[in-house]
Amino acid sequence: MFWDKFRKHKKKEFKCPTCGETHDELPAIGFKAPYHYEILSENDKNEIAELSDDFCVISYPDQIDRFIRTVLSIQVNDACENLEYGIWVSVSENTFNEYKSNFKKDSEPKTYFGMICNEIIDYEESTLNLHVNIETRNEGLRPEIIPHNAEHKLVSDWENGITIEEAEKRVEKII
């Protein structure tokens, strides 16, 4: 009975564009690459960039940019689930190397600093370069990000949560 009050708020099922299956839980909204990779020419993507599911490196003549894939979870207040975003975050060389060497290993959780490197269309104000803490997790889970205190709607949503109606609207924009 307790769960029924949360389920009744859910209005939609979502057909996954990847697997073609219909799901009643909110799908994660993922970015395939950091914004900095997406704006490269096809030639530069092949010549100066390396992209995998979890890591991206762009080697410019005067600098190297490093990115890791993380998860941003926003609580859905009137449902028993979160809306998750697969977000790319820029990190320092030391952070990148340390994180990569421990990736998918069970090790002591660590906290790193990073900046969001995706433009989340759900926000009028740019989400690029918002400062975050990166909290590593074990068992092969991508790290979770925690936004720093800032006057931005994303930070407010992370702190206060959103409604299921808002979460479904965001997912529909993507699907």
Side-chain angles (χ1 to χ4, degrees):
M1 226 197 275
F2 173 77
W3 297 111
D4 290 342
K5 91 175 191 178
F6 290 103
R7 284 192 191 111
K8 73 179 180 179
H9 293 288
K10 291 196 70 150
K11 300 174 186 166
K12 310 222 182 272
E13 292 181 332
F14 299 95
K15 184 172 184 175
C16 176
T18 304
C19 71
E21 299 284 322
T22 300
H23 304 281
D24 61 354
E25 71 273 0
L26 290 169
I29 298 171
F31 293 88
K32 293 184 187 216
Y35 172 80
H36 304 77
Y37 178 89
E38 294 291 344
I39 62 172
L40 292 174
S41 69
E42 286 305 314
N43 186 56
D44 281 348
K45 286 178 183 176
N46 293 322
E47 297 286 322
I48 66 168
E50 297 173 40
L51 176 68
S52 70
D53 288 342
D54 296 288
F55 300 97
C56 180
V57 176
I58 303 173
S59 300
Y60 298 101
D62 58 340
Q63 73 181 41
I64 298 175
D65 292 341
R66 295 166 182 84
F67 309 89
I68 62 173
R69 198 166 191 186
T70 64
V71 176
L72 170 67
S73 293
I74 296 183
Q75 179 182 338
V76 179
N77 293 326
D78 49 353
C80 289
E81 61 188 308
N82 292 331
L83 177 61
E84 292 187 341
Y85 290 91
I87 301 286
W88 289 86
V89 175
S90 67
V91 294
S92 70
E93 179 180 8
N94 289 342
T95 295
F96 184 87
N97 292 336
E98 184 176 321
Y99 173 72
K100 191 170 184 179
S101 70
N102 291 310
F103 185 61
K104 294 195 177 180
K105 294 179 186 171
D106 284 344
S107 59
E108 190 68 30
K110 300 237 180 189
T111 301
Y112 301 109
F113 170 79
M115 292 185 292
I116 293 177
C117 289
N118 292 112
E119 194 67 78
I120 304 173
I121 63 171
D122 301 315
Y123 298 98
E124 290 180 19
E125 189 178 350
S126 176
T127 56
L128 288 174
N129 299 318
L130 281 176
H131 294 185
V132 295
N133 281 350
I134 303 161
E135 303 283 334
T136 62
R137 302 186 287 177
N138 285 324
E139 300 176 18
L141 296 173
R142 288 188 176 121
E144 212 163 0
I145 58 174
I146 298 165
H148 286 196
N149 193 9
E151 294 204 17
H152 194 285
K153 180 75 168 114
L154 180 143
V155 176
S156 173
D157 287 351
W158 184 83
E159 289 174 342
N160 302 312
I162 60 174
T163 65
I164 187 66
E165 183 178 0
E166 176 63 23
E168 289 173 343
K169 185 174 100 180
R170 292 178 183 194
V171 169
E172 285 177 347
K173 275 188 212 175
I174 303 302
I175 294 180

